[in-house]
Amino acid sequence: MILADREIMQALEDGRIKISPAPNLAEQLGSCSIDFRLGHTFMVFEHSHFSYIDPLHPQSIGEAMRTIEVKDGEAFIMQAGDFALASTIESLELPDDLLGRLEGRSSIARLGITVHSTAAVFEPGWIGTATMELSNLGRMAVALYPGMRICSFTFEQLTSSVLTPYRKKVNNKYAGQVNPRASGLSEEMSERKGE
Protein backbone atom coordinates (compact mmCIF):
# COMPACT_ATOMS: atom_id res chain seq x y z
CA MET A 1 0.00 0.00 0.00
CA ILE A 2 1.36 3.41 -1.00
CA LEU A 3 0.69 6.19 1.49
CA ALA A 4 -1.60 9.02 0.37
CA ASP A 5 -0.97 12.67 1.30
CA ARG A 6 -3.11 12.49 4.46
CA GLU A 7 -1.22 9.36 5.60
CA ILE A 8 2.15 10.99 4.93
CA MET A 9 1.10 14.02 7.00
CA GLN A 10 -0.08 11.72 9.82
CA ALA A 11 3.17 9.72 9.72
CA LEU A 12 5.15 12.99 9.93
CA GLU A 13 2.99 14.23 12.81
CA ASP A 14 3.35 10.91 14.66
CA GLY A 15 7.13 10.87 14.07
CA ARG A 16 7.00 7.59 12.13
CA ILE A 17 8.58 9.35 9.15
CA LYS A 18 11.16 11.94 10.15
CA ILE A 19 12.35 14.58 7.69
CA SER A 20 14.88 17.21 8.70
CA PRO A 21 14.72 20.11 8.11
CA ALA A 22 10.93 19.92 8.26
CA PRO A 23 9.45 20.24 4.76
CA ASN A 24 7.16 23.04 3.67
CA LEU A 25 4.09 20.88 3.07
CA ALA A 26 2.30 23.59 1.07
CA GLU A 27 5.11 23.41 -1.51
CA GLN A 28 6.56 19.93 -1.12
CA LEU A 29 3.62 17.58 -0.43
CA GLY A 30 2.02 15.91 -3.43
CA SER A 31 -0.99 13.61 -3.60
CA CYS A 32 1.11 10.56 -2.64
CA SER A 33 4.68 11.88 -2.37
CA ILE A 34 6.85 14.53 -0.82
CA ASP A 35 9.49 16.50 -2.71
CA PHE A 36 13.08 16.72 -1.51
CA ARG A 37 15.50 19.49 -2.46
CA LEU A 38 18.92 19.37 -4.06
CA GLY A 39 21.87 19.80 -1.69
CA HIS A 40 25.12 21.70 -2.22
CA THR A 41 27.54 18.78 -2.60
CA PHE A 42 28.24 16.92 -5.85
CA MET A 43 30.72 14.18 -6.72
CA VAL A 44 31.94 13.74 -10.28
CA PHE A 45 34.25 11.25 -11.95
CA GLU A 46 37.60 12.61 -13.11
CA HIS A 47 37.43 10.67 -16.37
CA SER A 48 40.20 12.75 -17.90
CA HIS A 49 42.64 11.43 -15.26
CA PHE A 50 41.46 7.84 -14.85
CA SER A 51 40.72 5.42 -17.65
CA TYR A 52 38.59 2.96 -15.64
CA ILE A 53 37.24 2.05 -12.20
CA ASP A 54 38.21 -1.23 -10.55
CA PRO A 55 35.70 -2.26 -7.85
CA LEU A 56 38.31 -4.56 -6.27
CA HIS A 57 40.40 -1.53 -5.32
CA PRO A 58 38.66 1.09 -3.16
CA GLN A 59 41.23 3.75 -4.07
CA SER A 60 40.18 3.31 -7.70
CA ILE A 61 36.70 4.59 -6.86
CA GLY A 62 37.68 7.22 -4.30
CA GLU A 63 40.56 8.72 -6.28
CA ALA A 64 38.52 8.83 -9.46
CA MET A 65 35.94 11.15 -7.89
CA ARG A 66 36.13 14.83 -7.04
CA THR A 67 33.80 16.65 -4.64
CA ILE A 68 32.33 20.00 -5.65
CA GLU A 69 30.54 22.38 -3.28
CA VAL A 70 28.07 24.76 -4.95
CA LYS A 71 27.08 27.95 -3.14
CA ASP A 72 23.52 29.26 -2.85
CA GLY A 73 22.50 31.10 -6.00
CA GLU A 74 25.14 29.33 -8.10
CA ALA A 75 24.46 26.43 -10.45
CA PHE A 76 25.94 23.01 -10.99
CA ILE A 77 26.03 22.53 -14.76
CA MET A 78 25.20 19.03 -15.95
CA GLN A 79 26.65 18.64 -19.42
CA ALA A 80 24.96 16.30 -21.88
CA GLY A 81 25.93 12.71 -21.05
CA ASP A 82 27.33 13.67 -17.62
CA PHE A 83 26.92 11.66 -14.43
CA ALA A 84 27.21 13.00 -10.87
CA LEU A 85 26.33 11.96 -7.35
CA ALA A 86 24.41 14.51 -5.31
CA SER A 87 22.54 14.51 -2.04
CA THR A 88 19.30 15.96 -0.82
CA ILE A 89 19.11 18.79 1.70
CA GLU A 90 16.60 16.78 3.70
CA SER A 91 17.57 13.83 5.84
CA LEU A 92 15.07 10.97 6.05
CA GLU A 93 14.46 8.48 8.82
CA LEU A 94 12.09 5.57 8.19
CA PRO A 95 10.43 3.21 10.67
CA ASP A 96 10.94 -0.54 10.49
CA ASP A 97 7.67 -1.15 8.59
CA LEU A 98 7.84 1.46 5.80
CA LEU A 99 10.05 1.66 2.74
CA GLY A 100 10.76 4.83 0.81
CA ARG A 101 11.02 5.03 -2.95
CA LEU A 102 12.96 7.88 -4.56
CA GLU A 103 11.35 9.05 -7.78
CA GLY A 104 12.17 11.69 -10.36
CA ARG A 105 10.05 14.78 -10.79
CA SER A 106 8.39 15.19 -14.18
CA SER A 107 9.55 18.81 -14.52
CA ILE A 108 13.20 17.73 -14.07
CA ALA A 109 12.83 14.66 -16.30
CA ARG A 110 11.49 16.84 -19.13
CA LEU A 111 14.88 18.58 -19.14
CA GLY A 112 16.62 15.22 -19.64
CA ILE A 113 17.74 14.80 -16.01
CA THR A 114 17.28 11.46 -14.25
CA VAL A 115 17.80 11.27 -10.49
CA HIS A 116 18.61 7.60 -10.07
CA SER A 117 20.14 4.89 -12.20
CA THR A 118 18.63 1.93 -10.36
CA ALA A 119 18.90 2.74 -6.64
CA ALA A 120 15.35 3.89 -5.89
CA VAL A 121 14.48 1.83 -2.79
CA PHE A 122 15.28 3.08 0.71
CA GLU A 123 14.85 0.13 3.03
CA PRO A 124 12.87 0.18 6.28
CA GLY A 125 15.08 1.59 9.01
CA TRP A 126 16.92 3.94 6.62
CA ILE A 127 18.47 7.06 8.15
CA GLY A 128 20.41 9.79 6.34
CA THR A 129 20.29 11.96 3.27
CA ALA A 130 19.52 10.41 -0.10
CA THR A 131 22.35 10.11 -2.61
CA MET A 132 21.03 10.54 -6.14
CA GLU A 133 22.73 9.25 -9.28
CA LEU A 134 22.13 12.24 -11.57
CA SER A 135 22.44 11.82 -15.32
CA ASN A 136 21.81 14.21 -18.18
CA LEU A 137 20.26 12.13 -20.94
CA GLY A 138 19.56 15.18 -23.10
CA ARG A 139 21.68 16.92 -25.70
CA MET A 140 21.94 20.26 -23.89
CA ALA A 141 23.60 21.22 -20.61
CA VAL A 142 21.20 21.85 -17.71
CA ALA A 143 21.78 24.17 -14.72
CA LEU A 144 20.83 22.62 -11.38
CA TYR A 145 20.54 24.86 -8.32
CA PRO A 146 20.92 23.86 -4.66
CA GLY A 147 17.55 24.18 -2.97
CA MET A 148 15.48 23.32 -6.04
CA ARG A 149 12.96 20.49 -5.71
CA ILE A 150 14.83 17.67 -7.45
CA CYS A 151 13.11 14.39 -6.50
CA SER A 152 10.18 13.01 -4.57
CA PHE A 153 9.69 10.17 -2.11
CA THR A 154 6.74 7.83 -1.96
CA PHE A 155 6.24 5.51 1.00
CA GLU A 156 4.97 1.92 1.05
CA GLN A 157 3.56 0.10 4.06
CA LEU A 158 5.04 -3.37 4.64
CA THR A 159 2.90 -6.22 5.94
CA SER A 160 5.05 -6.30 9.09
CA SER A 161 8.18 -4.79 10.59
CA VAL A 162 11.42 -6.14 9.15
CA LEU A 163 13.64 -8.38 11.28
CA THR A 164 16.72 -6.24 10.61
CA PRO A 165 16.22 -2.54 9.79
CA TYR A 166 18.79 -1.09 7.38
CA ARG A 167 20.50 1.08 10.01
CA LYS A 168 21.15 -2.06 12.12
CA LYS A 169 22.53 -4.26 9.32
CA VAL A 170 26.08 -5.30 10.13
CA ASN A 171 27.43 -4.45 6.69
CA ASN A 172 25.26 -1.48 5.72
CA LYS A 173 27.36 0.95 3.71
CA TYR A 174 25.32 4.13 3.59
CA ALA A 175 23.23 4.56 6.77
CA GLY A 176 23.71 7.94 8.39
CA GLN A 177 25.30 9.58 5.35
CA VAL A 178 25.14 13.37 5.24
CA ASN A 179 26.78 14.00 1.86
CA PRO A 180 26.86 11.89 -1.30
CA ARG A 181 29.10 8.88 -0.87
CA ALA A 182 30.95 7.05 -3.62
CA SER A 183 30.08 3.42 -4.30
CA GLY A 184 30.84 0.98 -1.50
CA LEU A 185 31.09 -1.91 -3.95
CA SER A 186 34.78 -2.41 -3.20
CA GLU A 187 33.92 -3.11 0.47
CA GLU A 188 31.52 -5.82 -0.68
CA MET A 189 34.12 -7.30 -3.05
CA SER A 190 36.85 -7.35 -0.38
CA GLU A 191 34.47 -9.05 2.10
CA ARG A 192 33.91 -11.82 -0.45
CA LYS A 193 37.65 -12.22 -1.03
CA GLY A 194 38.11 -12.68 2.74
CA GLU A 195 35.53 -15.48 2.95
Side-chain angles (χ1 to χ4, degrees):
M1 176 185 80
I2 297 172
L3 272 55
D5 51 4
R6 70 183 73 218
E7 294 158 336
I8 294 171
M9 287 191 296
Q10 189 64 56
L12 288 167
E13 189 177 315
D14 295 345
R16 291 189 67 232
I17 297 173
K18 296 176 184 170
I19 300 173
S20 179
N24 177 338
L25 296 181
E27 291 179 5
Q28 292 174 256
L29 184 64
S31 300
C32 61
S33 64
I34 191 156
D35 291 342
F36 277 45
R37 297 168 298 152
L38 182 62
H40 294 83
T41 308
F42 299 82
M43 293 181 76
V44 296
F45 284 106
E46 295 278 35
H47 50 80
S48 59
H49 292 99
F50 299 90
S51 57
Y52 69 95
I53 298 165
D54 184 348
L56 281 178
H57 300 93
Q59 70 277 12
S60 170
I61 297 171
E63 290 175 3
M65 297 199 84
R66 176 171 55 102
T67 301
I68 299 169
E69 292 288 333
V70 178
K71 296 177 184 169
D72 283 328
E74 293 183 3
F76 177 80
I77 307 299
M78 285 283 298
Q79 297 295 332
D82 266 3
F83 175 85
L85 298 178
S87 58
T88 56
I89 288 175
E90 290 83 4
S91 180
L92 173 66
E93 185 174 344
L94 293 174
D96 299 349
D97 63 348
L98 278 183
L99 73 77
R101 194 175 297 276
L102 185 140
E103 305 288 354
R105 293 187 62 233
S106 176
S107 297
I108 301 297
R110 292 172 196 223
L111 302 176
I113 302 296
T114 62
V115 297
H116 67 78
S117 300
T118 60
V121 173
F122 286 71
E123 294 186 23
W126 168 264
I127 185 169
T129 60
T131 292
M132 297 169 286
E133 304 101 19
L134 300 176
S135 294
N136 182 350
L137 303 179
R139 297 188 62 164
M140 298 178 69
V142 177
L144 300 176
Y145 292 88
M148 70 188 294
R149 291 182 296 142
I150 190 76
C151 65
S152 64
F153 267 91
T154 58
F155 304 96
E156 296 178 42
Q157 181 68 55
L158 276 64
T159 55
S160 66
S161 294
V162 297
L163 292 173
T164 308
Y166 185 78
R167 69 181 167 275
K168 293 182 180 175
K169 282 185 177 179
V170 175
N171 295 323
N172 85 60
K173 296 183 279 298
Y174 308 112
Q177 66 186 18
V178 176
N179 290 314
R181 180 165 181 243
S183 172
L185 185 58
S186 63
E187 296 168 29
E188 217 173 278
M189 303 286 281
S190 63
E191 287 168 12
R192 285 196 183 149
K193 279 175 61 179
E195 288 177 351

